[in-house]
Amino acid sequence: MKMLSGWGRFPKVECRVVRARTQEDVRQAVLEAPLIARGNGRAYGDAALNPGLTLDMTGMDRMRSFENGVLVAEAGVLLGDIIQAFLPRGWFPMVTPGTKLVSLGGAIAADVHGKNHHIDGSFRTCVDWIDLMGPDGTVTRTKQGDALFDWTLGGMGLTGVILRAQIRLRRVETSWIVQESVALTSLTDTIAAFEGAMDAPYSVAWINCSAGKTHGHSILLKGRHALPQDLPMDRTEFDLGRPGKTPVPFGLPFLFKGAALRTINSIYWRLQRRKAGRAVVDWDSYFYPLDGLANWNKLYGRHGFVQFQCALPKDTAEAGLAEIMEAIAASGQGSVLSVLKRLGSQSGPFSFPMEGYTLAMDFPTNKRSLALMERLDTITMAHKGRFYLAKDARMPKAVAQADPRAADFAAMRKQAGMAERFTSVQSRRLGL
Ligand SMILES: Cc1cc2nc3c(=O)[nH]c(=O)nc-3n(C[C@H](O)[C@H](O)[C@H](O)COP(=O)(O)OP(=O)(O)OC[C@H]3O[C@@H](n4cnc5c(N)ncnc54)[C@H](O)[C@@H]3O)c2cc1C
């Protein structure tokens, strides 16, 4: 037995863990007991936890073939490994979340989105087929257009165990990003700037969601893959330079409260405003700024933290976001990492994104922040939004079930015999 948690370190659950190295290991586990597959543990909450049996897939990490940007790899391969192997040859993931430390299986199961969702959609865009082990231990190759494929993208491991998949990478001419950053002073201006940047391949904003003078101030970062002619003379086209990770030796939970938090947010915005403009930055700092800080999840102290991430439809997004930000400021709490992205249209019956905006925020785990998040649930639902299961650790069942797709997903799982075989702490909490 092992004490496990997601990235937020809440909740912590004692689980029996079995590590799979081969397809036969997975089959034996599936036939032995109800289980949930686990990738690299970067989902924030309890999606990859099951006390009876949690199947660690990180041992299935072989890349099988690669030709002209088309990669076949096992589910435990990390996006970071794919980048290390193929960026020097001019290929980069088509869609990537804000950390490269996710497994291919985890990226598929959560149908992750990146800073380019408004143009390229979610991870499913680049997946050709998946080999999935079902409840009776048989393997099905499911591809674009199949119902099983659709449910598996965003199905959070609850349709079966992903063994391997074929994905397409993106051709790039350098490993650098041309970044343009803009400092903005209100939510309205931020939304207008996003709408004006719909042709930018990548866009993301940090926005100040705590009370104080810089409430609503944001930094919008637009980006595109650099061409050789964009680079200063002293840079080579492909430079993977592996900056060392700065370790976080102990928690600093007092930084995430009250005046300290307001000061950090305000200083951060002022510093970034000074740096606003065009710059050529390396791929790692642009896509994965947090990966440079090893174990930053320990900063919140021993109780960990909870992320709240919602998506709001385009027509209600600004009003909904304003209400959410006001509720946070009024509660005297705040988030040091509040990330806003523009989402484009989305297919798939159970994936998280919808055309509009998504806001993600981290809060320390305590009674006050849990109560605040219940208030944010209500606001999100009133604006016809939805919640990201990959970040969730605490949503009440009634909130999850308010999404009409949840009942369809649960019915499909029951009918296919998946419900009795694939189960997680999250799926039971939410009635999936
Ligand atoms: C710093 C940070 C930034 C992030 N930014 C983003 C972002 O920008 N966009 C975004 O969409 N997400 C983001 N995430 C969330 C992350 O991308 C997802 O939670 C992803 O699923 C994690 O992958 P993992 O391999 O760690 O999977 P885990 O956390 O181990 O598992 C996540 C889910 O995938 C399932 N799963 C894993 N492997 C398999 C398998 N082989 N077969 C079946 N199911 C499987 C699990 O059952 C679970 O439901 C971020 C997370 C962090 C820590």
Side-chain angles (χ1 to χ4, degrees), residues 5-8 36-49 55 57-58 74-78 95-115 132 152 155-164 287 290-291 296 305 307 309 337 339 341 352-353 388-391 424 426:
S5 72
W7 185 244
I36 194 69
R38 180 176 173 93
N40 208 32
R42 256 50 186 189
Y44 278 60
D46 48 7
L49 303 179
L55 185 62
M57 293 295 289
T58 53
E74 290 182 341
V77 167
L78 301 186
V95 170
T96 174
T99 170
K100 58 188 177 299
L101 303 174
V102 299
S103 68
L104 181 56
I108 292 172
D111 195 10
V112 296
H113 58 275
K115 301 172 176 54
L132 186 75
T152 298
M156 301 305 291
L158 300 168
T159 62
V161 180
I162 298 159
L163 299 170
R164 61 191 78 80
F287 288 104
L290 289 169
D291 286 352
W296 62 264
F305 65 107
Q307 183 157 101
Q309 182 167 2
L337 271 178
V339 176
K341 287 183 200 143
F352 162 70
Y388 193 15
L389 296 180
K391 304 294 180 69
S424 62
Q426 181 181 59

Side-chain angles (χ1 to χ4, degrees), residues 370-391:
L370 291 171
L372 169 64
M373 283 183 263
E374 287 192 13
R375 170 90 188 98
L376 305 186
D377 291 344
T378 309
I379 298 172
T380 303
M381 288 190 291
H383 289 275
K384 300 193 168 48
R386 62 170 74 131
F387 307 91
Y388 193 15
L389 296 180
K391 304 294 180 69

